[in-house]
Short mmCIF file of all heavy atoms in Angstrom, two decimals:
data_model
loop_
_atom_site.label_atom_id
_atom_site.label_comp_id
_atom_site.label_asym_id
_atom_site.label_seq_id
_atom_site.Cartn_x
_atom_site.Cartn_y
_atom_site.Cartn_z
N PHE A 182 -11.23 -17.23 13.34
CA PHE A 182 -10.42 -16.01 13.33
C PHE A 182 -8.93 -16.36 13.38
O PHE A 182 -8.13 -15.82 12.60
CB PHE A 182 -10.81 -15.13 14.52
CG PHE A 182 -10.06 -13.83 14.58
CD1 PHE A 182 -10.46 -12.74 13.83
CD2 PHE A 182 -8.95 -13.69 15.41
CE1 PHE A 182 -9.76 -11.54 13.89
CE2 PHE A 182 -8.25 -12.50 15.48
CZ PHE A 182 -8.66 -11.42 14.72
N LEU A 183 -8.57 -17.28 14.27
CA LEU A 183 -7.16 -17.65 14.41
C LEU A 183 -6.69 -18.56 13.28
O LEU A 183 -5.48 -18.72 13.09
CB LEU A 183 -6.93 -18.33 15.76
CG LEU A 183 -7.00 -17.39 16.96
CD1 LEU A 183 -6.90 -18.15 18.26
CD2 LEU A 183 -5.90 -16.34 16.88
N THR A 184 -7.63 -19.16 12.53
CA THR A 184 -7.23 -19.92 11.34
C THR A 184 -6.67 -18.99 10.26
O THR A 184 -5.70 -19.32 9.57
CB THR A 184 -8.43 -20.69 10.78
OG1 THR A 184 -8.90 -21.61 11.77
CG2 THR A 184 -8.05 -21.47 9.53
N GLY A 185 -7.27 -17.80 10.14
CA GLY A 185 -6.80 -16.85 9.14
C GLY A 185 -5.72 -15.91 9.63
O GLY A 185 -5.04 -15.26 8.82
N MET A 186 -5.53 -15.83 10.96
CA MET A 186 -4.57 -14.87 11.50
C MET A 186 -3.12 -15.15 11.08
O MET A 186 -2.40 -14.21 10.70
CB MET A 186 -4.69 -14.84 13.03
CG MET A 186 -3.73 -13.87 13.71
SD MET A 186 -3.95 -12.15 13.15
CE MET A 186 -5.48 -11.73 13.98
N PRO A 187 -2.61 -16.40 11.13
CA PRO A 187 -1.20 -16.61 10.77
C PRO A 187 -0.86 -16.16 9.35
O PRO A 187 0.18 -15.52 9.13
CB PRO A 187 -1.01 -18.12 10.95
CG PRO A 187 -2.06 -18.53 11.92
CD PRO A 187 -3.22 -17.65 11.62
N THR A 188 -1.72 -16.53 8.37
CA THR A 188 -1.41 -16.15 6.98
C THR A 188 -1.47 -14.63 6.81
O THR A 188 -0.69 -14.06 6.04
CB THR A 188 -2.38 -16.82 6.01
OG1 THR A 188 -3.73 -16.61 6.44
CG2 THR A 188 -2.12 -18.31 5.93
N TYR A 189 -2.39 -13.97 7.53
CA TYR A 189 -2.46 -12.51 7.43
C TYR A 189 -1.23 -11.86 8.05
O TYR A 189 -0.63 -10.93 7.47
CB TYR A 189 -3.72 -12.00 8.13
CG TYR A 189 -3.84 -10.49 8.10
CD1 TYR A 189 -4.11 -9.82 6.90
CD2 TYR A 189 -3.65 -9.73 9.26
CE1 TYR A 189 -4.20 -8.43 6.86
CE2 TYR A 189 -3.75 -8.35 9.23
CZ TYR A 189 -4.01 -7.71 8.03
OH TYR A 189 -4.10 -6.32 7.99
N LEU A 190 -0.80 -12.33 9.23
CA LEU A 190 0.37 -11.75 9.89
C LEU A 190 1.62 -11.92 9.04
O LEU A 190 2.41 -10.97 8.87
CB LEU A 190 0.57 -12.40 11.26
CG LEU A 190 -0.40 -12.01 12.37
CD1 LEU A 190 -0.12 -12.79 13.63
CD2 LEU A 190 -0.34 -10.52 12.65
N ILE A 191 1.82 -13.14 8.51
CA ILE A 191 3.05 -13.37 7.73
C ILE A 191 3.01 -12.59 6.44
O ILE A 191 4.05 -12.15 5.92
CB ILE A 191 3.26 -14.89 7.48
CG1 ILE A 191 4.73 -15.17 7.12
CG2 ILE A 191 2.35 -15.40 6.38
CD1 ILE A 191 5.69 -14.90 8.23
N LEU A 192 1.81 -12.38 5.88
CA LEU A 192 1.69 -11.61 4.64
C LEU A 192 2.07 -10.15 4.87
O LEU A 192 2.82 -9.55 4.08
CB LEU A 192 0.25 -11.70 4.12
CG LEU A 192 0.01 -11.14 2.72
CD1 LEU A 192 0.73 -11.97 1.66
CD2 LEU A 192 -1.49 -11.11 2.42
N VAL A 193 1.58 -9.57 5.96
CA VAL A 193 1.92 -8.18 6.27
C VAL A 193 3.42 -8.06 6.56
O VAL A 193 4.09 -7.14 6.06
CB VAL A 193 1.10 -7.68 7.47
CG1 VAL A 193 1.54 -6.27 7.88
CG2 VAL A 193 -0.39 -7.67 7.14
N GLU A 194 3.95 -9.00 7.36
CA GLU A 194 5.38 -8.96 7.68
C GLU A 194 6.23 -9.05 6.42
O GLU A 194 7.18 -8.28 6.24
CB GLU A 194 5.73 -10.12 8.61
CG GLU A 194 7.21 -10.20 8.94
CD GLU A 194 7.60 -11.50 9.63
OE1 GLU A 194 6.72 -12.16 10.20
OE2 GLU A 194 8.80 -11.86 9.59
N MET A 195 5.89 -9.99 5.54
CA MET A 195 6.69 -10.18 4.34
C MET A 195 6.54 -9.03 3.35
O MET A 195 7.49 -8.68 2.64
CB MET A 195 6.30 -11.49 3.65
CG MET A 195 6.78 -12.73 4.36
SD MET A 195 8.60 -12.81 4.49
CE MET A 195 8.81 -12.38 6.22
N GLN A 196 5.37 -8.40 3.32
CA GLN A 196 5.22 -7.25 2.43
C GLN A 196 6.13 -6.12 2.89
O GLN A 196 6.79 -5.46 2.07
CB GLN A 196 3.77 -6.76 2.40
CG GLN A 196 3.56 -5.62 1.41
CD GLN A 196 2.10 -5.34 1.13
OE1 GLN A 196 1.21 -5.88 1.77
NE2 GLN A 196 1.84 -4.49 0.15
N ILE A 197 6.21 -5.91 4.19
CA ILE A 197 7.10 -4.87 4.72
C ILE A 197 8.56 -5.23 4.44
O ILE A 197 9.33 -4.40 3.92
CB ILE A 197 6.87 -4.68 6.23
CG1 ILE A 197 5.45 -4.18 6.50
CG2 ILE A 197 7.89 -3.70 6.80
CD1 ILE A 197 5.08 -4.15 7.97
N ARG A 198 8.94 -6.46 4.76
CA ARG A 198 10.35 -6.84 4.62
C ARG A 198 10.78 -6.94 3.17
O ARG A 198 11.86 -6.44 2.79
CB ARG A 198 10.58 -8.17 5.32
CG ARG A 198 10.56 -8.09 6.84
CD ARG A 198 10.59 -9.46 7.50
NE ARG A 198 11.76 -10.24 7.09
CZ ARG A 198 11.96 -11.50 7.44
NH1 ARG A 198 11.07 -12.12 8.19
NH2 ARG A 198 13.05 -12.14 7.03
N CYS A 199 9.96 -7.57 2.33
CA CYS A 199 10.32 -7.75 0.92
C CYS A 199 10.49 -6.42 0.20
O CYS A 199 11.49 -6.20 -0.49
CB CYS A 199 9.26 -8.58 0.20
SG CYS A 199 9.39 -10.36 0.49
N PHE A 200 9.53 -5.55 0.37
CA PHE A 200 9.56 -4.32 -0.42
C PHE A 200 10.47 -3.26 0.21
O PHE A 200 10.94 -2.36 -0.50
CB PHE A 200 8.14 -3.81 -0.64
CG PHE A 200 7.37 -4.68 -1.60
CD1 PHE A 200 6.54 -5.69 -1.13
CD2 PHE A 200 7.52 -4.52 -2.97
CE1 PHE A 200 5.86 -6.52 -2.02
CE2 PHE A 200 6.84 -5.34 -3.86
CZ PHE A 200 6.01 -6.35 -3.38
N GLN A 201 10.77 -3.38 1.51
CA GLN A 201 11.82 -2.53 2.07
C GLN A 201 13.17 -2.93 1.48
O GLN A 201 13.99 -2.07 1.14
CB GLN A 201 11.84 -2.67 3.60
CG GLN A 201 12.73 -1.64 4.30
CD GLN A 201 14.16 -2.09 4.49
OE1 GLN A 201 14.48 -3.28 4.33
NE2 GLN A 201 15.04 -1.15 4.81
N LEU A 202 13.39 -4.24 1.33
CA LEU A 202 14.61 -4.71 0.68
C LEU A 202 14.63 -4.34 -0.79
O LEU A 202 15.67 -3.94 -1.33
CB LEU A 202 14.74 -6.22 0.85
CG LEU A 202 15.92 -6.92 0.15
CD1 LEU A 202 17.24 -6.25 0.50
CD2 LEU A 202 15.96 -8.40 0.51
N ALA A 203 13.48 -4.45 -1.46
CA ALA A 203 13.42 -4.08 -2.87
C ALA A 203 13.79 -2.61 -3.08
O ALA A 203 14.40 -2.25 -4.09
CB ALA A 203 12.01 -4.35 -3.41
N TRP A 204 13.43 -1.77 -2.11
CA TRP A 204 13.74 -0.34 -2.21
C TRP A 204 15.25 -0.09 -2.07
O TRP A 204 15.77 0.89 -2.58
CB TRP A 204 12.98 0.42 -1.11
CG TRP A 204 13.08 1.90 -1.20
CD1 TRP A 204 13.89 2.73 -0.48
CD2 TRP A 204 12.33 2.76 -2.07
NE1 TRP A 204 13.71 4.04 -0.84
CE2 TRP A 204 12.75 4.09 -1.81
CE3 TRP A 204 11.36 2.54 -3.04
CZ2 TRP A 204 12.22 5.18 -2.49
CZ3 TRP A 204 10.83 3.63 -3.72
CH2 TRP A 204 11.26 4.92 -3.44
N HIS A 205 15.95 -1.01 -1.38
CA HIS A 205 17.40 -0.83 -1.14
C HIS A 205 18.20 -1.94 -1.81
O HIS A 205 19.22 -2.39 -1.26
CB HIS A 205 17.67 -0.82 0.36
CG HIS A 205 17.03 0.31 1.10
ND1 HIS A 205 17.47 1.61 1.00
CD2 HIS A 205 15.96 0.35 1.94
CE1 HIS A 205 16.72 2.40 1.75
NE2 HIS A 205 15.79 1.66 2.33
N LYS A 206 17.78 -2.39 -2.97
CA LYS A 206 18.46 -3.50 -3.63
C LYS A 206 19.93 -3.20 -3.95
O LYS A 206 20.79 -4.06 -3.81
CB LYS A 206 17.74 -3.85 -4.94
CG LYS A 206 16.56 -4.79 -4.76
CD LYS A 206 16.05 -5.23 -6.11
CE LYS A 206 14.90 -6.21 -5.98
NZ LYS A 206 14.45 -6.70 -7.29
N ASN A 207 20.21 -2.00 -4.39
CA ASN A 207 21.59 -1.67 -4.76
C ASN A 207 22.51 -1.73 -3.54
O ASN A 207 23.66 -2.19 -3.63
CB ASN A 207 21.65 -0.29 -5.41
CG ASN A 207 21.01 -0.27 -6.78
OD1 ASN A 207 20.88 -1.31 -7.43
ND2 ASN A 207 20.60 0.89 -7.24
N ARG A 208 22.00 -1.26 -2.40
CA ARG A 208 22.79 -1.34 -1.16
C ARG A 208 23.03 -2.78 -0.75
O ARG A 208 24.13 -3.15 -0.31
CB ARG A 208 22.07 -0.58 -0.04
CG ARG A 208 22.86 -0.46 1.25
CD ARG A 208 22.11 0.33 2.30
NE ARG A 208 20.95 -0.42 2.80
CZ ARG A 208 20.04 0.10 3.63
NH1 ARG A 208 20.15 1.36 4.03
NH2 ARG A 208 19.03 -0.64 4.05
N PHE A 209 22.01 -3.61 -0.93
CA PHE A 209 22.14 -5.04 -0.62
C PHE A 209 23.17 -5.69 -1.54
O PHE A 209 23.99 -6.50 -1.09
CB PHE A 209 20.78 -5.70 -0.76
CG PHE A 209 20.78 -7.18 -0.47
CD1 PHE A 209 21.39 -7.69 0.66
CD2 PHE A 209 20.16 -8.07 -1.34
CE1 PHE A 209 21.39 -9.05 0.93
CE2 PHE A 209 20.16 -9.43 -1.09
CZ PHE A 209 20.77 -9.92 0.05
N ARG A 210 23.16 -5.34 -2.82
CA ARG A 210 24.13 -5.89 -3.76
C ARG A 210 25.55 -5.46 -3.39
O ARG A 210 26.49 -6.28 -3.44
CB ARG A 210 23.80 -5.44 -5.18
CG ARG A 210 24.73 -6.03 -6.24
CD ARG A 210 24.36 -5.50 -7.61
NE ARG A 210 24.51 -4.06 -7.67
CZ ARG A 210 23.75 -3.26 -8.42
NH1 ARG A 210 22.81 -3.76 -9.20
NH2 ARG A 210 23.94 -1.95 -8.42
N THR A 211 25.72 -4.20 -2.99
CA THR A 211 27.04 -3.73 -2.56
C THR A 211 27.55 -4.49 -1.35
O THR A 211 28.73 -4.84 -1.26
CB THR A 211 26.98 -2.22 -2.25
OG1 THR A 211 26.53 -1.50 -3.41
CG2 THR A 211 28.33 -1.69 -1.83
N LEU A 212 26.63 -4.79 -0.42
CA LEU A 212 27.00 -5.56 0.76
C LEU A 212 27.43 -6.97 0.37
O LEU A 212 28.42 -7.51 0.88
CB LEU A 212 25.83 -5.61 1.73
CG LEU A 212 26.06 -6.36 3.05
CD1 LEU A 212 27.12 -5.64 3.89
CD2 LEU A 212 24.77 -6.48 3.84
#
């Protein structure tokens, strides 16, 4: 269970972070 847990946690975290940034790309470019 713990062998698969790290890749699952980082995948969920990165999906949230990546696509939240993708939604605000223009704001990021302005910054």
